[in-house]
């Protein structure tokens, strides 16, 4: 389904775009979902990601082998924690020196790309097309690293991100996509005379289904999203600061961005793409919990398997769902909803009681009993 020309890669025919959201250490769950899709013969033609989703997307675009990607990711997670990955904050004797952020981020991306086997590889050297999202603080533009395409247009809804015009190292594109504001210094890049100050892709689009929809020949979009889903009842006064901070970011980015994207007129114009969004429900796991990567992969894998088990044929997953199919997911464990305008074929599914959440709740209950009868 790929062809080539002097400008890079062009996607041919009707194809499937896989979109992976940001979410810090929860990104491991993307791999569990991808593994379940691959086992059912659902293999993406294009990979698109923001932040940790960009890292997973890059691994899959380079290897097109989910088991190898999982092996490399888990090797990395066993060896490192976030705090021994980042450059030391800048604390001179006379207060904090302003340099746009506390962390440089270069050590982090160097370690990640080396462990992932991405060092030295350019965007042109992937097995499948790869698009990485970043945000320019100077203009507010969404910056896309990946070979420029002539995007679809719509008279009521024109979407025009800025494509970075050079075939650069994947590591540089990832560095531009992962930096949270204030924590990370902006990553400087130039396009001609224009100076870019690049930070996390999630600022503009943490789950970039809009880019996927506007790419030519994309017929199906699958998005794995790891953020706040709006149904939890959590006592945030008992949560750690990092979890509260990340939850705030998720509400401010993914939760609102996805809803806005799904209202795009493009999703109701024939032949509009079919969109399926799955949230594996890792609400109790901190985005910093690299040590729980294997658990998250297994839980997300089971979630995706459970969803696909509801269809006799995987192709039915992409057919327009009737009311009965939506109701099938309105059970204690599941929450499914149509998003966007009435004619849009977009369905979002959240695992309300995912395998990992049920296991954590069980352990919590046992701990309370043990403490009670101690």
């Amino acid at each position: 389904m790929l062809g080539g020309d002097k400008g890079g890669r062009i996607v041919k025919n009707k194809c499937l775009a896989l979109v992976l959201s940001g979410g810090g250490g929860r990104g491991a769950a993307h791999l569990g979902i991808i593994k379940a899709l691959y086992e059912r013969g659902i293999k993406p033609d294009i990979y698109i990601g923001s932040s940790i989703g960009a890292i997973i997307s890059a691994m899959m675009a380079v290897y097109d082998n989910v088991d190898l990607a999982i092996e490399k990711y888990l090797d990395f997670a066993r060896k490192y924690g976030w705090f021994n990955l980042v450059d030391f904050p800048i604390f001179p004797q006379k207060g904090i020196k302003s340099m746009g952020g506390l962390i440089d981020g270069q050590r982090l991306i160097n370690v990640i790309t080396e462990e992932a086997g991405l060092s030295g590889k350019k965007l042109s050297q992937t097995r499948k097309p790869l698009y990485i999202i970043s945000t320019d603080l100077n203009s507010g533009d969404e910056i896309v690293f990946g070979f420029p395409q002539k995007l679809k247009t719509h008279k009521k809804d024109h979407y025009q991100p800025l494509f970075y015009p050079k075939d650069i190292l994947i590591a540089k594109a990832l560095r531009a996509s992962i930096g949270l504001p204030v924590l990370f210094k902006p990553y400087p890049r130039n396009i001609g005379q224009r100076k870019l100050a690049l930070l996390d892709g999630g600022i503009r689009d943490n789950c970039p289904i809009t880019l996927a929809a506007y790419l030519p020949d994309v017929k199906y979009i699958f998005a794995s999203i790891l953020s706040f889903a709006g149904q939890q009842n959590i006592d945030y006064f008992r949560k750690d600061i990092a979890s509260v901070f990340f939850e705030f970011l998720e509400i401010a980015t993914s939760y609102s961005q996805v809803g806005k994207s799904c209202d795009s007129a493009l999703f109701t114009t024939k032949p509009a793409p079919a969109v399926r969004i799955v949230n594996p429900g890792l609400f109790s796991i901190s985005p910093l919990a690299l040590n729980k990567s294997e658990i998250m992969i297994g839980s997300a894998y089971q979630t995706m398997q459970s969803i696909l088990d509801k269809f006799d044929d995987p192709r039915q997953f992409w057919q327009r769902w009737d009311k009965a199919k939506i109701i099938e997911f309105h059970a204690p464990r599941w929450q499914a909803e149509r998003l966007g305008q009435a004619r849009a074929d977009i369905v979002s599914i959240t695992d309300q009681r995912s395998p990992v959440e049920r296991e954590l709740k069980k352990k919590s209950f046992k701990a309370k009993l043990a403490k009670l009868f101690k």
Side-chain angles (χ1 to χ4, degrees), residues 137-149:
L137 291 188
N138 287 328
S139 65
D141 285 338
E142 178 179 328
I143 309 297
V144 180
F145 293 90
F147 287 106
Q149 301 275 3

Side-chain angles (χ1 to χ4, degrees), residues 13-17 45-46 152 212-213 215-222 269-275 318 345:
N13 304 321
K14 297 175 181 178
C15 61
L16 167 62
D45 303 287
I46 301 172
K152 302 171 189 173
L215 288 174
D217 299 312
V218 169
K219 178 65 175 175
Y220 308 101
I221 299 171
F222 182 92
T269 303
K270 292 183 178 181
V275 183
W318 300 105
D345 186 9

Side-chain angles (χ1 to χ4, degrees), residues 144-202:
V144 180
F145 293 90
F147 287 106
Q149 301 275 3
K150 187 176 181 180
L151 300 180
K152 302 171 189 173
T153 57
H154 193 283
K155 60 183 178 181
K156 294 183 180 178
D157 180 27
H158 185 55
Y159 167 75
Q160 189 60 59
L162 179 63
F163 279 85
Y164 192 80
K166 299 177 183 177
D167 177 22
I168 66 171
L169 291 171
I170 291 173
K172 291 184 177 181
L174 292 177
R175 172 59 187 88
S177 185
I178 65 167
L180 290 172
V182 181
L183 294 179
F184 284 83
K185 292 167 59 177
Y187 186 56
R189 293 276 97 190
N190 293 330
I191 299 179
Q193 299 299 311
R194 180 173 175 176
K195 294 183 178 180
L196 308 179
L198 301 176
L199 276 177
D200 204 286

